[in-house]
Amino acid sequence: AILSCGVSDDAPVAGQGQSNKNVTPSDQLFTLEDFGAIGFKVAKEYNVDGLTAATSAWFGFWRPEGSDAKEFEFRFYASHEDAVLYGTSFADEATGEGAVLEEEDATWKEDIKDRKYFFAGPIGSHGSGSVQPKYGGYSIYGNMILLCEGANATHSLERCSSLISALRLAGS
């Protein structure tokens, strides 16, 4: 099965289980204000010290049509080229099965707690549970990197696609 991220007919696709990202070039320069038109709710702004070349980074929530609110992290750069060149390694580190979830191991440590879920053990057990990544994957679209909530890359890329589609509709 192939997942199309739905932003255009020539958008890259990710083979299921093969990639946790989608990269779509665009000359459009996005800012946080672009997300207000689709009802995105900002929870916090991150300090981008240590996030090479990023101009800003944000955490918040958005409710795709017919769904519960989902969490997203946005990282903005001066251009698409900067997002790809400087942001890819940070996004790879923060997403997917191999996500770095401990502050002492992370390259960019800012609010790393927002990038993980804690799952408790079975009811009545004394197990410590497990920590899992919140973001199964991400999309680079224009000058931004979107880390999208999802249990795996497929779920995350579907949510990234929904958000990007809503942005495109709001901008047309």
Side-chain angles (χ1 to χ4, degrees):
I2 299 218
L3 168 70
S4 171
C5 289
V7 292
S8 71
D9 291 337
D10 58 350
V13 294
Q16 189 172 7
Q18 294 177 357
S19 177
N20 68 334
K21 66 183 172 185
N22 176 21
V23 179
T24 305
S26 173
D27 291 332
Q28 186 169 357
L29 297 178
F30 295 94
T31 66
L32 186 64
E33 288 74 33
D34 295 313
F35 292 85
I38 63 169
F40 185 82
K41 305 295 184 214
V42 173
K44 69 174 81 168
E45 180 178 10
Y46 293 129
N47 179 335
V48 294
D49 289 346
L51 187 60
T52 306
T55 58
S56 66
W58 304 84
F59 172 72
F61 306 86
W62 180 67
R63 182 183 303 273
E65 183 134 351
S67 176
D68 294 332
K70 303 300 176 201
E71 296 179 18
F72 296 85
E73 185 175 309
F74 296 68
R75 300 171 180 185
F76 293 100
Y77 293 82
S79 67
H80 175 73
E81 292 76 18
D82 282 359
V84 172
L85 181 64
Y86 299 111
T88 299
S89 64
F90 289 100
D92 284 338
E93 182 178 286
T95 59
E97 291 180 24
V100 176
L101 302 175
E102 298 303 323
E103 188 172 328
E104 61 270 8
D105 300 325
T107 306
W108 185 53
K109 300 169 185 337
E110 179 76 11
D111 280 335
I112 198 166
K113 68 184 178 306
D114 293 337
R115 294 183 208 112
K116 57 187 171 182
Y117 284 129
F118 177 76
F119 293 95
I123 295 175
S125 77
H126 296 285
S128 62
S130 66
V131 175
Q132 300 294 322
K134 183 180 292 181
Y135 306 118
Y138 65 94
S139 288
I140 301 176
Y141 183 58
N143 68 312
M144 63 184 173
I145 296 180
L146 309 172
L147 281 61
C148 305
E149 180 182 351
N152 57 47
T154 300
H155 291 150
S156 290
L157 293 176
E158 287 171 355
R159 290 176 179 146
C160 285
S161 175
S162 293
L163 192 144
I164 291 168
S165 293
L167 272 177
R168 290 173 58 95
L169 287 172
S172 51

